[in-house]
Amino acid sequence: MFLLSTSDIQASAARHTRRVDFARGLAHRVTPTGAVHRRQDPPLNSSTIVSGRTEVTNTPAVVIGPPLEGPRWVNALGCCSPPSGHRTATLPINGKFVCFERFAIDFAQLNPENKLYAGPRDRLSSYAYVGAKVLAVADGTVVNLQDNRPEETPPNFPKGYDLLQQLGNFVIIDIGHRHFAFYAHFQPNTLKVHKGDKVRRGQVLALLGNSGNSDAPHLHFGIEDGPLPFASNGVPFVFSSFTTIGTITNPFDDVAAGATAQIGIARAGPHRNELPLNNDVITFPKQ
């Protein structure tokens, strides 16, 4: 005999003209049902298990400034569909499951020809955006950082790194109300701040690079609910202002391998207090 199982999510929402009311919590209800393999086998009873209860919060997403400036920044591995490595990564840390990268974005910049690089793929000099200024998204205090990790050679991931080494050169800023801005993969020895420093929105923190667990230059950015890498959960955030050029329609893996990005007009235009979506190509205002 074998088991068939069905599951559903216990949640309800009523849509009104001006607002949406959500359930206060979510739970998974799983009902295993026995299926008779042979006609002479006795029937099996079914049972229902309810687990995975999760509180639903109505806390608004934190509004922040841009971590970069200028045109043609690609939101790679961003929210929300199709599910990405950031969106689905769940790690067992200190006895609990943590979704450190749930809303994180990898930012890489297209050149005027809508390519990520011009020249050999394995040379950092081929990527014109290497060395771009990385900016504080809000006023805050530096609470954690790491420097002196070497640059890696595209397009391969390094091997043998522990968790902290995978982050490369990074900084974490407490921006208040249990929100912590996390930036990773800087160029070595370009950090402009020290632990305990106060920073202002728009201040240069470091330069974009390719340190840590990275197969091409990019800025990894997200907002967390704590100051410890991997041991904190990613939380939603929105940028106060940006303009979308459009959305990449061909596979980003092809673009990463040297193809020209094909950009459709979906979501093109100005956006305020929004989160850019996966494969959006955006312009951040000058700071």
Side-chain angles (χ1 to χ4, degrees):
M1 64 186 66
F2 58 93
L3 293 178
L4 305 174
S5 67
T6 60
S7 66
D8 64 351
I9 298 178
Q10 296 177 329
S12 63
R15 183 175 294 277
H16 302 285
T17 303
R18 295 186 178 179
R19 71 171 192 170
V20 176
D21 292 333
F22 291 98
R24 295 182 179 179
L26 300 173
H28 289 273
R29 182 173 61 231
V30 181
T31 303
T33 302
V36 176
H37 182 61
R38 296 177 302 178
R39 186 170 299 177
Q40 62 269 31
D41 288 336
L44 296 179
N45 294 327
S46 64
S47 61
T48 298
I49 302 169
V50 178
S51 65
R53 298 184 185 275
T54 303
E55 179 184 356
V56 175
T57 177
N58 61 357
T59 303
V62 59
V63 181
I64 56 175
L68 298 157
E69 57 185 7
R72 299 184 304 276
W73 289 104
V74 180
N75 174 356
L77 297 180
C79 188
C80 295
S81 179
S84 69
H86 285 168
R87 188 70 173 165
T88 59
T90 304
L91 302 174
I93 302 291
N94 296 336
K96 63 179 182 180
F97 288 109
V98 180
C99 298
F100 178 57
E101 301 179 311
R102 179 177 290 162
F103 297 97
I105 294 173
D106 283 349
F107 285 110
Q109 190 180 41
L110 298 174
N111 63 24
E113 289 71 44
N114 288 338
K115 293 176 177 284
L116 284 179
Y117 55 90
R121 186 181 183 184
D122 61 354
R123 293 185 184 177
L124 293 178
S125 59
S126 299
Y127 302 78
Y129 59 95
V130 168
K133 296 176 181 178
V134 179
L135 311 176
V137 297
D139 297 352
T141 304
V142 177
V143 294
N144 205 344
L145 56 78
Q146 177 171 263
D147 202 356
N148 298 314
R149 298 299 307 165
E151 295 272 58
E152 303 299 335
T153 301
N156 301 310
F157 287 102
K159 297 179 180 180
Y161 281 0
D162 62 29
L163 286 179
L164 280 179
Q165 290 171 336
Q166 288 184 27
L167 299 177
N169 305 308
F170 73 86
V171 68
I172 299 177
I173 299 174
D174 182 351
I175 61 174
H177 305 289
R178 294 187 57 81
H179 291 114
F180 297 81
F182 174 74
Y183 309 72
H185 308 305
F186 299 141
Q187 286 183 327
N189 305 309
T190 65
L191 274 165
K192 314 295 185 185
V193 295
H194 301 86
K195 191 172 181 178
D197 283 357
K198 302 292 184 182
V199 300
R200 303 288 292 177
R201 174 172 164 164
Q203 180 177 333
V204 177
L205 302 174
L207 303 183
L208 186 151
N210 194 48
S211 59
N213 189 45
S214 179
D215 63 346
H218 70 283
L219 171 68
H220 177 99
F221 176 80
I223 301 292
E224 316 299 328
D225 65 1
L228 298 178
F230 295 112
S232 306
N233 281 295
V235 295
F237 59 91
V238 295
F239 293 117
S240 58
S241 176
F242 63 92
T243 299
T244 299
I245 300 170
T247 302
I248 294 177
T249 57
N250 52 327
F252 186 75
D253 284 348
D254 292 349
V255 178
T260 300
Q262 306 300 316
I263 302 175
I265 62 172
R267 289 178 46 78
H271 298 265
R272 295 185 60 83
N273 298 337
E274 292 184 27
L275 177 69
L277 299 182
N278 192 44
N279 288 337
D280 279 355
V281 182
I282 64 180
T283 296
F284 284 122
K286 291 284 186 179
Q287 298 299 296

